[in-house]
Amino acid sequence: MQFYLGLATTFHDPALALVGPDGTLLFAEATERFLQYKRAPNCEPDAPAIIAPLLREFVPPGSEIVVASSWGEQFSGFLKGQAHAGTFDLPTLAAHPIDLNASFVPEQAERVFIADLHLAQARAGLGTLLALTQDVRTGGSPPRARVVGQRRYPHHLCHAAYGLWGSPFAEATSVTVDGMGETGASAIHRLKDGQIEEVKRHRGRGSLGFLYGLITDLAGFDQVKGEEWKIMGLAPYGRPDPDLAAILARLYRVEGTRLRFADADTIRDVAAELLARRPADALENGWADLARCGQDLFGTLMDVLVAEAHALAPSENLVIAGGCGLNSSYNGRVLGRSPFTRLHVPSAPADDGNAVGAAWLAYQEDHPDWSGPPEESRPLTPYLGARVSTTPMERLAEQEPRARRLGHGAVTREAARILAAGGLVGWVQGQAEFGPRSLGNRSILADPRPAGAKDALNAKVKYREAFRPFAPSILAEAGPDWFEDFADSPYMERTLVWKDSVRNKVPAVVHEDGTGRLQTVTAQRNPAYAALIAAFHDLTGVPVLLNTSFNVMGKPILHTAEDAILMFYTTGLDALVVEDWIVVKDPAMIRGA
């Protein structure tokens, strides 16, 4: 039996995915979850401690493994040659200037990124070999499996493969936009008859992803920490500023259908002028007007790329992939600004998703007639990660009388009642979500009706900036009654506008501009979470819960029940539910079952 291990091997957001002998995606998870290290920079995706239990669970003895990773053979070979030439030696890297270049990042930083990328490629698959060797050393028997090959696939092709094959569409056009690829920072692909074709690969150093990162830095945040999402949250609090917009407009031009970026001198001049205008409190509170103008600029430039994609590969169906696919504010508007009529953005559009794309590309290389997952399994479920053990809850109950096992039906009713009474609930069920957003399996939940719920959640648990919104999870069948131009949004991938008539019912999840980054929930996609929202609806008449990721600021989403228990006792959570177990701070909260 042959399995395909996909590895996301950029210098940030590593991940692994496992595809079985029949092409089924068995598992996918970001490495940061296991390590509890945000974004896991420069960490191998398949460290032995991560891959060993995965192999034991899914791979029978005597199997073969093909290791597949993002970034193509030619590019990886180029990096290897550069390393042999000493290009990535520390003194050589240190000699590069720290001025901004044509990619919108400091020249030295970009060179370090590339050096890190080489190291990520060089380590790809080594963790798997170590785990298999350790299996022999500890078990005294032949290894469970053997690695029979290593393949590499172009970065943007991996993005497109994951986005297109994981979409609900039989044919579609994809636009991949991120910080960098082999030849440029964006590409266009087409899915037809199960095959993926490259339509256009953009070339040059100009990068919309890095441009958005530069705006992030100038607005008072840090793109290295992945804080671009703060621009989306802060933008509605800013005002359109014609002077700022005019300055930013110098960073690009449109020639026909082509987007062109400014040269390095212009970029440096613009950055210096913006720094001179930056408010004194920007590093503490952010620069709202620049966030607004920067988000508007992002939308304008994405419109150009999307329009070009439709001109070159006409379709009703659009897939957006790459890190820029996380811009939910734009995703919620793109269909109204383009000829496309349907949109899919995968649950992990950034580099972690490339683990799935690489694995599927390797599988299709060996099975040319394979045309993607079967129709009934698309769009792809996001619940692809690890499960948590309830053993820690059992041990907790031996010393903690407030911890009880109620069964799934009763624990759902108790959680809904606590939420309806204003309590904060940590909710852990099933397999972890693949991607950066909690979708009802690793979530902190609250009642969206009190206007102060957002502030209370920030003060008690999340400890994050007040301007950042919290997202609504809504029963899908109720969506048209609550949102304008409603569209299904299973991955919390787009923002839509709340109807005026309902905004006062759920003020905690209505953002400053009247939008919400919604997750639509169905019993088919997530029966446990749908049952909880339905129980809350029965109690309150509101089919919506406030949903945020089960973590504290600066940490990844939890990975184990121990992580959940620690956060329960060290934050202001009122209750913790792990599968059918519940523990509460106040014994009076539990009415019993």
Side-chain angles (χ1 to χ4, degrees):
M1 299 177 71
Q2 191 156 282
F3 291 77
Y4 296 81
L5 178 65
L7 303 177
T9 50
T10 308
F11 49 87
H12 59 80
D13 299 312
L16 57 83
L18 186 66
V19 167
D22 62 351
T24 300
L25 180 59
L26 303 173
F27 182 92
E29 190 163 50
T31 305
E32 70 167 19
R33 302 289 184 88
F34 183 93
L35 299 178
Q36 284 297 289
Y37 178 31
K38 190 70 173 175
R39 305 196 78 191
N42 295 318
C43 296
E44 60 268 32
D46 59 333
I50 301 174
I51 192 69
L54 186 67
L55 297 178
R56 287 194 296 268
E57 181 177 359
F58 290 106
V59 179
S63 299
E64 297 178 340
I65 297 175
V66 174
V67 177
S69 59
S70 56
W71 303 93
E73 291 280 3
Q74 183 176 5
F75 185 68
S76 297
F78 165 76
L79 293 179
K80 186 176 181 180
Q82 291 288 294
H84 283 313
T87 304
F88 302 146
D89 292 346
L90 184 60
T92 304
L93 292 171
H96 285 287
I98 59 173
D99 298 329
L100 292 172
N101 64 20
S103 298
F104 299 99
V105 296
E107 178 71 19
Q108 186 182 91
E110 186 178 46
R111 297 292 176 176
V112 172
F113 292 162
I114 296 171
D116 289 342
L117 188 54
H118 162 67
L119 294 175
Q121 304 311 301
R123 295 196 303 266
L126 298 185
T128 301
L129 291 178
L130 287 173
L132 293 171
T133 302
Q134 184 68 10
D135 196 30
V136 175
R137 293 173 63 190
T138 58
S141 59
R144 172 170 299 275
R146 62 189 182 97
V147 175
V148 297
Q150 181 181 29
R151 303 176 194 168
R152 304 184 190 275
Y153 298 94
H155 184 68
H156 287 154
L157 178 60
C158 290
H159 276 305
Y162 167 53
L164 288 166
W165 278 327
S167 78
F169 308 136
E171 62 83 24
T173 297
S174 72
V175 178
T176 299
V177 189
D178 56 13
M180 59 187 295
E182 281 93 346
T183 61
S186 60
I188 301 168
H189 293 81
R190 172 173 28 211
L191 173 67
K192 187 176 181 180
D193 298 326
Q195 304 300 306
I196 295 175
E197 171 195 2
E198 181 184 285
V199 176
K200 183 173 184 179
R201 189 188 308 181
H202 292 93
R203 301 180 184 276
R205 299 181 76 179
S207 166
L208 179 51
F210 282 153
L211 170 55
Y212 201 77
L214 175 60
I215 291 169
T216 301
D217 292 339
L218 293 172
F221 308 121
D222 188 345
Q223 66 170 312
V224 174
K225 295 179 180 178
E227 294 185 336
E228 290 92 340
W229 65 83
K230 294 184 179 181
I231 296 297
M232 286 188 290
L234 185 58
Y237 292 90
R239 59 184 175 84
D241 185 321
D243 292 337
L244 288 179
I247 296 171
L248 291 173
R250 289 158 49 193
L251 296 174
Y252 77 97
R253 65 186 185 278
V254 178
E255 298 177 353
T257 61
R258 295 290 304 277
L259 176 62
R260 305 287 191 184
F261 291 101
D263 57 34
D265 287 339
T266 301
I267 292 169
R268 287 192 286 269
D269 289 344
V270 166
E273 189 168 348
L274 290 173
L275 278 174
R277 290 169 171 258
R278 186 163 72 178
D281 65 343
L283 294 179
E284 181 177 354
N285 300 316
W287 186 0
D289 290 351
L290 182 63
R292 170 66 180 271
C293 293
Q295 177 64 30
D296 290 345
L297 174 68
F298 177 86
T300 297
L301 302 189
M302 280 293 296
D303 285 347
V304 176
L305 296 175
V306 169
E308 182 186 29
H310 191 273
L312 295 176
S315 173
E316 293 183 351
N317 305 317
L318 172 65
V319 171
I320 297 179
C324 290
L326 291 170
N327 197 303
S328 54
S329 295
Y330 177 76
N331 295 343
R333 295 167 170 82
V334 62
L335 294 182
R337 299 161 59 145
S338 76
F340 293 98
T341 59
R342 294 197 295 172
L343 171 69
H344 174 78
V345 181
S347 66
D351 283 3
D352 45 352
N354 279 352
V356 177
W360 271 344
L361 287 165
Y363 184 84
Q364 195 195 49
E365 187 173 335
D366 292 342
H367 305 82
D369 294 334
W370 186 77
S371 57
E375 183 179 351
E376 61 269 18
S377 66
R378 299 168 64 174
L380 188 66
T381 177
Y383 307 109
L384 294 163
R387 297 180 181 273
V388 302
S389 169
T390 58
T391 301
M393 297 297 290
E394 297 169 14
R395 291 198 296 262
L396 177 65
E398 293 173 0
Q399 304 178 36
E400 172 59 87
R402 294 170 294 184
R404 301 177 62 183
R405 188 176 191 179
L406 302 181
H408 283 284
V411 85
T412 298
R413 291 190 295 271
E414 289 292 343
R417 190 181 58 79
I418 292 169
L419 288 164
L424 301 178
V425 176
W427 180 260
V428 181
Q429 301 287 319
Q431 290 183 257
E433 302 91 338
F434 184 47
R437 291 164 181 154
S438 289
L439 301 172
N441 278 15
R442 302 290 184 274
S443 292
I444 294 172
L445 306 173
D447 185 346
R449 295 174 300 162
K454 173 182 170 182
D455 293 336
L457 185 52
N458 269 331
K460 292 181 179 181
V461 183
K462 298 296 285 189
Y463 315 125
R464 68 185 199 179
E465 297 90 348
F467 63 79
R468 291 170 59 188
F470 287 107
S473 292
I474 183 170
L475 294 175
E477 61 267 26
D481 296 328
W482 290 74
F483 285 96
E484 302 284 356
D485 300 319
F486 173 75
D488 193 34
S489 181
Y491 308 137
M492 208 181 280
E493 73 274 13
R494 71 189 83 192
T495 61
L496 297 179
V497 178
W498 292 94
K499 289 188 172 182
D500 287 336
S501 59
V502 301
R503 294 181 187 183
N504 63 346
K505 296 181 180 180
V506 288
V509 288
V510 178
H511 199 26
E512 182 73 8
D513 58 355
T515 65
R517 190 188 71 197
L518 72 159
Q519 175 200 3
T520 49
V521 182
T522 67
Q524 180 181 13
R525 290 194 287 247
N526 193 327
Y529 194 34
L532 177 65
I533 301 175
F536 180 82
H537 182 210
D538 289 342
L539 292 172
T540 65
V542 173
V544 180
L545 283 176
L546 184 157
N547 175 14
T548 188
S549 55
F550 203 153
N551 67 330
V552 294
M553 189 172 69
K555 293 286 289 182
I557 296 170
L558 69 90
H559 185 67
T560 65
E562 288 92 340
D563 295 334
I565 292 169
L566 176 63
M567 278 187 275
F568 171 70
Y569 281 111
T570 58
T571 68
L573 286 176
D574 296 298
L576 168 66
V577 175
V578 179
E579 297 295 349
D580 60 347
W581 284 84
I582 187 169
V583 58
V584 297
K585 296 263 176 70
D586 181 357
M589 281 187 171
I590 289 273
R591 292 192 301 193

